[in-house]
Amino acid sequence: MSAPRARGARRVERLCHATGVLLVLSGLAHLVVFAVDGGPWDGPVSWRKPVTFGVSFGVTLIAVAWVTSYLRVGPRLRTLLLVVFAADCVVEVGGITLQAWRGVPSHLDMETPFDTAVSMTLAVGGGVLVVLLTVFAAVSFRHRPSGPAGMDLAVRSGFAVLLVALASGAAMIARGVVLTRTGHQEAAYHSTAPLKPLHGVSLHAVLVLPALAWLLSRTPWSEPLRRRILYTAIGSYVTAVIGAGVRAALVY
């Protein structure tokens, strides 16, 4: 990579890291708001949503910015995709946080024109996230990722599990929109519950597995041992995802 392109890659990574940290801090700040203000933790209107979405989106943004550095993708394309991804994360967390402060649901709320606009913006933003992360996942499988021993397997496995999270998230939104459009607003709010464990479990594999591979590469252990540990971790993660998937299928 040429020096100007390397500097551009570092700039977009710093942008994503800084934005991710701010999103995490926003989530943690709303945990304090919840402790002071109280109210329910579950349900379509609660401080849980800005907390969990802020932390989750922030961590995911930081993870994707780091993990994609191992992908064999053009620096300009990667920069463009990461900038769009970072902006989309801010829009998603911002919309969810705004609605929490207004005391109304952030997703699937079509009660007023403004609420409809926010809900549709979040839905479209979710679609953009699916497209961007699917592109990165496709690149990881088309060209073997670089990095220390085991990183290629960890990155590919992380993106494969992440695709499950994207599919379950899309299913939640799709079912909720259908219920809302057919006049079942309350049912729409509760329809996402069965898929939430599957979505949550599979969402952060793209950070956990590559981070484990990176940590193992820093140990003095033999490569066969490091591989066995990584295989065990991947198998455990897949087992957890399958378990969450079976549970979702039984109650969905």
Side-chain angles (χ1 to χ4, degrees):
M1 188 185 298
S2 64
R5 290 186 178 183
R7 287 195 295 270
R10 288 194 293 270
R11 281 197 297 269
V12 74
E13 287 171 2
R14 286 196 296 268
L15 170 66
C16 291
H17 294 163
T19 304
V21 168
L22 290 176
L23 293 178
V24 171
L25 291 176
S26 172
L28 295 178
H30 283 88
L31 187 60
V32 176
V33 173
F34 169 71
V36 174
D37 186 61
W41 180 252
D42 294 319
V45 181
S46 74
W47 293 116
R48 168 188 56 83
K49 300 190 77 172
V51 172
T52 55
F53 277 84
V55 172
S56 184
F57 269 89
V59 170
T60 300
L61 177 56
I62 294 170
V64 169
W66 171 58
V67 169
T68 55
S69 66
Y70 295 109
L71 300 184
R72 300 184 187 278
V73 59
R76 290 183 179 177
L77 176 59
R78 175 173 174 254
T79 296
L80 174 62
L81 294 177
L82 285 179
V83 168
V84 175
F85 184 64
D88 202 11
C89 288
V90 171
V91 170
E92 291 290 301
V93 176
I96 290 163
T97 303
L98 170 66
Q99 296 298 74
W101 280 96
R102 294 182 65 235
V104 297
S106 55
H107 294 86
L108 310 174
D109 183 4
M110 311 293 181
E111 294 295 329
T112 69
F114 182 81
D115 293 328
T116 300
V118 173
S119 294
M120 295 308 298
T121 298
L122 295 177
V124 172
V128 173
L129 292 175
V130 170
V131 171
L132 294 174
L133 293 173
T134 300
V135 169
F136 283 133
V139 170
S140 74
F141 284 99
R142 184 176 182 181
H143 303 290
R144 183 176 181 178
S146 60
M151 183 59 75
D152 55 340
L153 177 62
V155 170
R156 285 173 168 174
S157 299
F159 272 115
V161 175
L162 178 62
L163 291 177
V164 176
L166 299 180
S168 59
M172 285 191 286
I173 294 299
R175 187 182 188 190
V177 169
V178 169
L179 288 171
T180 298
R181 295 298 187 186
T182 55
H184 301 88
Q185 188 68 62
E186 284 301 317
Y189 292 145
H190 299 290
S191 66
T192 61
L195 286 174
K196 283 182 179 179
L198 174 61
H199 184 69
V201 168
S202 54
L203 188 61
H204 295 297
V206 74
L207 169 62
V208 174
L209 297 178
L212 176 61
W214 183 85
L215 290 172
L216 289 173
S217 71
R218 264 61 183 173
T219 68
W221 301 334
S222 65
E223 184 173 340
L225 176 58
R226 296 199 301 268
R227 283 275 181 178
R228 285 196 297 271
I229 294 174
L230 185 58
Y231 284 138
T232 301
I234 293 172
S236 300
Y237 219 114
V238 170
T239 300
V241 170
I242 292 174
V246 170
R247 177 187 178 279
L250 293 175
V251 301
Y252 193 55

